[in-house]
Amino acid sequence: MTFCVESETKRELPFDAEELAGKVIGETLEYEKCPYEVTVNVLLTDNEGICTLNSQFRGIERPTDVLSFPNVDYDTPSDFTGIEESEADYFDPESGELYLGDIVISVDKVYEQAEEYGHSVRREYAFLLAHSMLHLMGYDHMEAGEAAKMEHKQEEILNRLDITRTE
């Protein structure tokens, strides 16, 4: 697994953001039984930066907590069948790894939502990573059933890492 965490914000997180990202990304891949070595990029920004991206890519003029930019098109979420035979080139030619996509997180929103939901900044960051990783593997939450399925998976992944709401 290759992942990169870059920060374009001055606001610091009170833990090693790269280390925790590696744990959550790795656990999500294991939970979803991804058969490939993968590449994922994570960008930490602020509300202003994510607002610009949200406007540019979704036409929504407000900050959001996390944006996911999946690289792989799935017929069924986390169904990696046929990816190698696909006409799309999902694999990095240099590393041979499956390029899942990019995650952008607003550190400002991490702090705001941790306070709003009454849990730690670490837990909120991990939650947003797990949420976004599921998007990179084809899950969505536009309908109630999809949302419930994603929420269950997110909680399971975080519980496996012992990252709970009480932290």
Side-chain angles (χ1 to χ4, degrees), residues 18 31 36 52 64 74 78 96-97 100 121 130 135-136 138-139 145:
E18 190 166 343
Y31 184 83
Y36 299 105
T52 299
T64 188
Y74 302 89
S78 284
E97 292 183 334
L100 280 182
V121 170
H135 278 310
L136 296 187
Y139 290 95

Side-chain angles (χ1 to χ4, degrees), residues 26 55 60-62 78 89 92 96 101 104 107-108 114 134 144 158:
S55 175
I60 299 173
E61 297 279 335
R62 64 175 165 76
S78 284
D89 190 11
D92 182 310
V104 182
V107 174
D108 293 334
L134 291 172
L158 296 179

Side-chain angles (χ1 to χ4, degrees), residues 124-163:
E124 184 64 21
Y125 176 73
F127 173 83
L128 294 175
L129 283 165
H131 180 85
S132 193
M133 280 296 296
L134 291 172
H135 278 310
L136 296 187
M137 289 191 258
Y139 290 95
D140 207 345
H141 48 79
M142 299 305 286
E143 297 175 15
E146 294 174 332
K149 188 174 192 174
M150 268 188 84
E151 287 171 20
H152 174 76
K153 287 178 175 287
Q154 291 160 180
E155 288 301 319
E156 287 282 312
I157 291 162
L158 296 179
N159 285 339
R160 287 169 62 156
L161 292 168
D162 200 29
I163 300 174

Side-chain angles (χ1 to χ4, degrees), residues 2 6 39 47-48 51 55 64 68 70 78 85 117-118 134 148 167:
T2 302
E6 292 185 31
T39 299
N47 280 346
E48 183 180 333
C51 183
S55 175
T64 188
S68 309
S78 284
E85 293 80 35
Y117 299 131
L134 291 172
E167 134 171 350

Side-chain angles (χ1 to χ4, degrees), residues 65-104:
D65 51 5
V66 63
L67 291 170
S68 309
F69 297 96
N71 183 55
V72 179
D73 298 312
Y74 302 89
D75 291 330
T76 303
S78 284
D79 181 359
F80 299 95
T81 308
I83 284 182
E84 291 181 46
E85 293 80 35
S86 171
E87 289 181 24
D89 190 11
Y90 297 131
F91 293 86
D92 182 310
E94 291 180 25
S95 69
E97 292 183 334
L98 175 63
Y99 176 59
L100 280 182
D102 301 317
I103 297 170
V104 182

Side-chain angles (χ1 to χ4, degrees), residues 1 3-6 13 15-25 42 44 125 129:
M1 170 178 73
F3 68 97
C4 176
V5 177
E6 292 185 31
L13 291 167
F15 49 83
D16 187 327
E18 190 166 343
E19 178 184 345
L20 186 53
K23 288 178 181 178
V24 174
I25 291 168
V42 179
L44 304 178
Y125 176 73
L129 283 165

